[in-house]
Amino acid sequence: MNSTIKRIALNVGFGYSPGLNTVIVGAALAANELGWEVVGIRDGFEGLLFPDRYPDGGLVPLTPQWVETLDPSDNILGTAIRNDPFHVRTINAESLIEEVDRSDDLLATLQANDIDAVISVVGKRGLSILAKLHRKGLKTVSIPRSMENDIAATTLSFGFNSTLGFVTELLDRAKQAARSAGQVGVVEVPGEYSGWLALQAGMAVRADAALIPEIPYDLQKVAAKLQDRFKRGRSYGLVIVAEGAVSVNAEPAVVAPHPLKASLSPLATDYQGSHVIQRSGRAAHTVALELQRSIERETYPLVLGDWVKGGSLTAVDRQLGLSYGAGAALALNAGQTGVVVAFQPPDLTFVPLAEAINKIRTVPADSEFVRIARSLGICLGG
């Protein structure tokens, strides 16, 4: 047993996904078996940075008796409210909003509360924040969470399997609606840089096409696939498009300074329209409009967006969440810190944060999923 650890804290980074309590339960039960006291931090690190906002002071005791009663589909701790401890918004002496670095305050508060290490359930951005905190001395283990399965350190992020199941259910309904109306449904799913969700969900529902960021699409190929099926008697179609999918004819992003660049998101281009800041919906509307012009059939765009964060927790994610939580506690006990718990079937491994950040798990061109999708007659647009 690691004698330097007596009390640990758990927290959850920004963003919701079903079943986060499962990870909390796994970590808390495993830590208790090691003889450690466990507390939860409210709303990411908010509970420590702003304890006066919480009746319980921002920390929740996570006893074995209590965590065993938690609803596995819920999240008892809440998630970060986009606060990065290195860039915390505050009001200065001139009553103006500014960002200040409160990372030292955070580390001091952890020490004042006798917290020896922190286990965090986070996405890509959270991994970068924890890497910086680790460099400043925080003992930490991260658990990867992503509904797009785009964290490079692991084969399967917590939350993806549940998201995939719910998206497949919604796509089945969209396909039924398209069949009933004799139309072509163009459904956009999350995936700004990675196409795992669009590709695997598209395979599950046997879509006509699945357009992903990794393969620039030629809509004439998609139109030809649909026309061929219309000639064989089919009256409808279903096209899945990831949010970040781009056309082979798309103009490269403008790198020249833009007068509104400072007020837009970091990756914003000079695109003009209703999706200039919130890109959700742009891909579906673009593809639907161009397809309707090419095939002369009525198309309708549908954007799943944040709806995919709902649904029920799958058995795979229940097991994965418990395993990730317990694995994080075991890593701390083995003296490992500054690492991400990674599922590399059939094993749980630990990847240094420095190797896990600033990378995205994309769909390789020679992926088995790509080959299978093509063999099923699903057009990938390229």
Side-chain angles (χ1 to χ4, degrees), residues 6-18:
K6 294 181 174 60
R7 194 176 197 228
I8 69 168
L10 311 179
N11 72 340
V12 179
F14 175 76
Y16 173 78
S17 60

mmCIF file with all atom_site columns, all heavy atoms in Angstrom, residues 6-18:
data_model
loop_
_atom_site.group_PDB
_atom_site.id
_atom_site.type_symbol
_atom_site.label_atom_id
_atom_site.label_alt_id
_atom_site.label_comp_id
_atom_site.label_asym_id
_atom_site.label_entity_id
_atom_site.label_seq_id
_atom_site.pdbx_PDB_ins_code
_atom_site.Cartn_x
_atom_site.Cartn_y
_atom_site.Cartn_z
_atom_site.occupancy
_atom_site.B_iso_or_equiv
_atom_site.pdbx_formal_charge
_atom_site.auth_seq_id
_atom_site.auth_comp_id
_atom_site.auth_asym_id
_atom_site.auth_atom_id
_atom_site.pdbx_PDB_model_num
ATOM 1   N N   . LYS A 1 6  ? -3.374  9.083  2.076   1.00 0.00 ? 6  LYS A N   1
ATOM 2   C CA  . LYS A 1 6  ? -4.388  8.762  3.079   1.00 0.00 ? 6  LYS A CA  1
ATOM 3   C C   . LYS A 1 6  ? -5.762  9.305  2.689   1.00 0.00 ? 6  LYS A C   1
ATOM 4   O O   . LYS A 1 6  ? -6.789  8.789  3.128   1.00 0.00 ? 6  LYS A O   1
ATOM 5   C CB  . LYS A 1 6  ? -3.981  9.333  4.432   1.00 0.00 ? 6  LYS A CB  1
ATOM 6   C CG  . LYS A 1 6  ? -2.729  8.687  5.033   1.00 0.00 ? 6  LYS A CG  1
ATOM 7   C CD  . LYS A 1 6  ? -2.407  9.296  6.383   1.00 0.00 ? 6  LYS A CD  1
ATOM 8   C CE  . LYS A 1 6  ? -1.237  8.559  7.054   1.00 0.00 ? 6  LYS A CE  1
ATOM 9   N NZ  . LYS A 1 6  ? -0.019  8.609  6.251   1.00 0.00 ? 6  LYS A NZ  1
ATOM 10  N N   . ARG A 1 7  ? -5.771  10.344 1.864   1.00 0.00 ? 7  ARG A N   1
ATOM 11  C CA  . ARG A 1 7  ? -7.044  10.980 1.483   1.00 0.00 ? 7  ARG A CA  1
ATOM 12  C C   . ARG A 1 7  ? -6.948  11.434 0.026   1.00 0.00 ? 7  ARG A C   1
ATOM 13  O O   . ARG A 1 7  ? -5.988  12.110 -0.359  1.00 0.00 ? 7  ARG A O   1
ATOM 14  C CB  . ARG A 1 7  ? -7.317  12.178 2.388   1.00 0.00 ? 7  ARG A CB  1
ATOM 15  C CG  . ARG A 1 7  ? -8.739  12.721 2.317   1.00 0.00 ? 7  ARG A CG  1
ATOM 16  C CD  . ARG A 1 7  ? -8.917  13.845 3.331   1.00 0.00 ? 7  ARG A CD  1
ATOM 17  N NE  . ARG A 1 7  ? -10.328 14.117 3.585   1.00 0.00 ? 7  ARG A NE  1
ATOM 18  C CZ  . ARG A 1 7  ? -10.873 15.335 3.580   1.00 0.00 ? 7  ARG A CZ  1
ATOM 19  N NH1 . ARG A 1 7  ? -10.124 16.401 3.342   1.00 0.00 ? 7  ARG A NH1 1
ATOM 20  N NH2 . ARG A 1 7  ? -12.164 15.493 3.838   1.00 0.00 ? 7  ARG A NH2 1
ATOM 21  N N   . ILE A 1 8  ? -7.915  11.061 -0.785  1.00 0.00 ? 8  ILE A N   1
ATOM 22  C CA  . ILE A 1 8  ? -7.917  11.477 -2.188  1.00 0.00 ? 8  ILE A CA  1
ATOM 23  C C   . ILE A 1 8  ? -9.236  12.166 -2.514  1.00 0.00 ? 8  ILE A C   1
ATOM 24  O O   . ILE A 1 8  ? -10.230 12.039 -1.782  1.00 0.00 ? 8  ILE A O   1
ATOM 25  C CB  . ILE A 1 8  ? -7.698  10.291 -3.150  1.00 0.00 ? 8  ILE A CB  1
ATOM 26  C CG1 . ILE A 1 8  ? -8.922  9.343  -3.138  1.00 0.00 ? 8  ILE A CG1 1
ATOM 27  C CG2 . ILE A 1 8  ? -6.417  9.548  -2.830  1.00 0.00 ? 8  ILE A CG2 1
ATOM 28  C CD1 . ILE A 1 8  ? -8.902  8.321  -4.256  1.00 0.00 ? 8  ILE A CD1 1
ATOM 29  N N   . ALA A 1 9  ? -9.244  12.884 -3.630  1.00 0.00 ? 9  ALA A N   1
ATOM 30  C CA  . ALA A 1 9  ? -10.444 13.584 -4.089  1.00 0.00 ? 9  ALA A CA  1
ATOM 31  C C   . ALA A 1 9  ? -10.759 13.153 -5.515  1.00 0.00 ? 9  ALA A C   1
ATOM 32  O O   . ALA A 1 9  ? -9.852  12.838 -6.303  1.00 0.00 ? 9  ALA A O   1
ATOM 33  C CB  . ALA A 1 9  ? -10.252 15.092 -4.024  1.00 0.00 ? 9  ALA A CB  1
ATOM 34  N N   . LEU A 1 10 ? -12.047 13.152 -5.849  1.00 0.00 ? 10 LEU A N   1
ATOM 35  C CA  . LEU A 1 10 ? -12.517 12.851 -7.199  1.00 0.00 ? 10 LEU A CA  1
ATOM 36  C C   . LEU A 1 10 ? -13.228 14.074 -7.754  1.00 0.00 ? 10 LEU A C   1
ATOM 37  O O   . LEU A 1 10 ? -13.918 14.792 -7.012  1.00 0.00 ? 10 LEU A O   1
ATOM 38  C CB  . LEU A 1 10 ? -13.487 11.664 -7.189  1.00 0.00 ? 10 LEU A CB  1
ATOM 39  C CG  . LEU A 1 10 ? -13.073 10.397 -6.442  1.00 0.00 ? 10 LEU A CG  1
ATOM 40  C CD1 . LEU A 1 10 ? -14.181 9.346  -6.534  1.00 0.00 ? 10 LEU A CD1 1
ATOM 41  C CD2 . LEU A 1 10 ? -11.782 9.847  -7.006  1.00 0.00 ? 10 LEU A CD2 1
ATOM 42  N N   . ASN A 1 11 ? -13.086 14.304 -9.043  1.00 0.00 ? 11 ASN A N   1
ATOM 43  C CA  . ASN A 1 11 ? -13.858 15.377 -9.676  1.00 0.00 ? 11 ASN A CA  1
ATOM 44  C C   . ASN A 1 11 ? -14.110 15.051 -11.141 1.00 0.00 ? 11 ASN A C   1
ATOM 45  O O   . ASN A 1 11 ? -13.543 14.116 -11.705 1.00 0.00 ? 11 ASN A O   1
ATOM 46  C CB  . ASN A 1 11 ? -13.175 16.739 -9.514  1.00 0.00 ? 11 ASN A CB  1
ATOM 47  C CG  . ASN A 1 11 ? -11.930 16.887 -10.368 1.00 0.00 ? 11 ASN A CG  1
ATOM 48  O OD1 . ASN A 1 11 ? -11.337 15.909 -10.813 1.00 0.00 ? 11 ASN A OD1 1
ATOM 49  N ND2 . ASN A 1 11 ? -11.505 18.115 -10.594 1.00 0.00 ? 11 ASN A ND2 1
ATOM 50  N N   . VAL A 1 12 ? -14.997 15.836 -11.751 1.00 0.00 ? 12 VAL A N   1
ATOM 51  C CA  . VAL A 1 12 ? -15.417 15.604 -13.128 1.00 0.00 ? 12 VAL A CA  1
ATOM 52  C C   . VAL A 1 12 ? -15.220 16.886 -13.922 1.00 0.00 ? 12 VAL A C   1
ATOM 53  O O   . VAL A 1 12 ? -15.650 17.971 -13.500 1.00 0.00 ? 12 VAL A O   1
ATOM 54  C CB  . VAL A 1 12 ? -16.896 15.162 -13.190 1.00 0.00 ? 12 VAL A CB  1
ATOM 55  C CG1 . VAL A 1 12 ? -17.326 14.960 -14.630 1.00 0.00 ? 12 VAL A CG1 1
ATOM 56  C CG2 . VAL A 1 12 ? -17.106 13.879 -12.387 1.00 0.00 ? 12 VAL A CG2 1
ATOM 57  N N   . GLY A 1 13 ? -14.577 16.778 -15.085 1.00 0.00 ? 13 GLY A N   1
ATOM 58  C CA  . GLY A 1 13 ? -14.340 17.933 -15.925 1.00 0.00 ? 13 GLY A CA  1
ATOM 59  C C   . GLY A 1 13 ? -15.594 18.383 -16.668 1.00 0.00 ? 13 GLY A C   1
ATOM 60  O O   . GLY A 1 13 ? -16.679 17.817 -16.511 1.00 0.00 ? 13 GLY A O   1
ATOM 61  N N   . PHE A 1 14 ? -15.444 19.392 -17.509 1.00 0.00 ? 14 PHE A N   1
ATOM 62  C CA  . PHE A 1 14 ? -16.571 20.003 -18.203 1.00 0.00 ? 14 PHE A CA  1
ATOM 63  C C   . PHE A 1 14 ? -17.278 19.017 -19.136 1.00 0.00 ? 14 PHE A C   1
ATOM 64  O O   . PHE A 1 14 ? -16.646 18.211 -19.799 1.00 0.00 ? 14 PHE A O   1
ATOM 65  C CB  . PHE A 1 14 ? -16.092 21.209 -19.021 1.00 0.00 ? 14 PHE A CB  1
ATOM 66  C CG  . PHE A 1 14 ? -17.181 21.825 -19.859 1.00 0.00 ? 14 PHE A CG  1
ATOM 67  C CD1 . PHE A 1 14 ? -18.152 22.606 -19.278 1.00 0.00 ? 14 PHE A CD1 1
ATOM 68  C CD2 . PHE A 1 14 ? -17.239 21.580 -21.217 1.00 0.00 ? 14 PHE A CD2 1
ATOM 69  C CE1 . PHE A 1 14 ? -19.162 23.155 -20.041 1.00 0.00 ? 14 PHE A CE1 1
ATOM 70  C CE2 . PHE A 1 14 ? -18.244 22.134 -21.998 1.00 0.00 ? 14 PHE A CE2 1
ATOM 71  C CZ  . PHE A 1 14 ? -19.212 22.919 -21.398 1.00 0.00 ? 14 PHE A CZ  1
ATOM 72  N N   . GLY A 1 15 ? -18.598 19.119 -19.178 1.00 0.00 ? 15 GLY A N   1
ATOM 73  C CA  . GLY A 1 15 ? -19.383 18.327 -20.111 1.00 0.00 ? 15 GLY A CA  1
ATOM 74  C C   . GLY A 1 15 ? -20.086 17.162 -19.456 1.00 0.00 ? 15 GLY A C   1
ATOM 75  O O   . GLY A 1 15 ? -19.567 16.547 -18.526 1.00 0.00 ? 15 GLY A O   1
ATOM 76  N N   . TYR A 1 16 ? -21.275 16.881 -19.952 1.00 0.00 ? 16 TYR A N   1
ATOM 77  C CA  . TYR A 1 16 ? -22.074 15.806 -19.379 1.00 0.00 ? 16 TYR A CA  1
ATOM 78  C C   . TYR A 1 16 ? -22.025 14.561 -20.262 1.00 0.00 ? 16 TYR A C   1
ATOM 79  O O   . TYR A 1 16 ? -22.016 14.653 -21.485 1.00 0.00 ? 16 TYR A O   1
ATOM 80  C CB  . TYR A 1 16 ? -23.534 16.228 -19.221 1.00 0.00 ? 16 TYR A CB  1
ATOM 81  C CG  . TYR A 1 16 ? -24.431 15.087 -18.785 1.00 0.00 ? 16 TYR A CG  1
ATOM 82  C CD1 . TYR A 1 16 ? -24.450 14.684 -17.453 1.00 0.00 ? 16 TYR A CD1 1
ATOM 83  C CD2 . TYR A 1 16 ? -25.206 14.384 -19.699 1.00 0.00 ? 16 TYR A CD2 1
ATOM 84  C CE1 . TYR A 1 16 ? -25.231 13.611 -17.041 1.00 0.00 ? 16 TYR A CE1 1
ATOM 85  C CE2 . TYR A 1 16 ? -25.996 13.316 -19.297 1.00 0.00 ? 16 TYR A CE2 1
ATOM 86  C CZ  . TYR A 1 16 ? -26.008 12.942 -17.955 1.00 0.00 ? 16 TYR A CZ  1
ATOM 87  O OH  . TYR A 1 16 ? -26.771 11.884 -17.563 1.00 0.00 ? 16 TYR A OH  1
ATOM 88  N N   . SER A 1 17 ? -22.015 13.423 -19.626 1.00 0.00 ? 17 SER A N   1
ATOM 89  C CA  . SER A 1 17 ? -22.252 12.150 -20.299 1.00 0.00 ? 17 SER A CA  1
ATOM 90  C C   . SER A 1 17 ? -22.894 11.237 -19.277 1.00 0.00 ? 17 SER A C   1
ATOM 91  O O   . SER A 1 17 ? -22.634 11.367 -18.071 1.00 0.00 ? 17 SER A O   1
ATOM 92  C CB  . SER A 1 17 ? -20.950 11.537 -20.843 1.00 0.00 ? 17 SER A CB  1
ATOM 93  O OG  . SER A 1 17 ? -20.037 11.310 -19.801 1.00 0.00 ? 17 SER A OG  1
ATOM 94  N N   . PRO A 1 18 ? -23.777 10.332 -19.696 1.00 0.00 ? 18 PRO A N   1
ATOM 95  C CA  . PRO A 1 18 ? -24.477 9.487  -18.729 1.00 0.00 ? 18 PRO A CA  1
ATOM 96  C C   . PRO A 1 18 ? -23.526 8.539  -18.006 1.00 0.00 ? 18 PRO A C   1
ATOM 97  O O   . PRO A 1 18 ? -22.513 8.113  -18.545 1.00 0.00 ? 18 PRO A O   1
ATOM 98  C CB  . PRO A 1 18 ? -25.469 8.714  -19.601 1.00 0.00 ? 18 PRO A CB  1
ATOM 99  C CG  . PRO A 1 18 ? -24.865 8.720  -20.968 1.00 0.00 ? 18 PRO A CG  1
ATOM 100 C CD  . PRO A 1 18 ? -24.158 10.032 -21.084 1.00 0.00 ? 18 PRO A CD  1
#
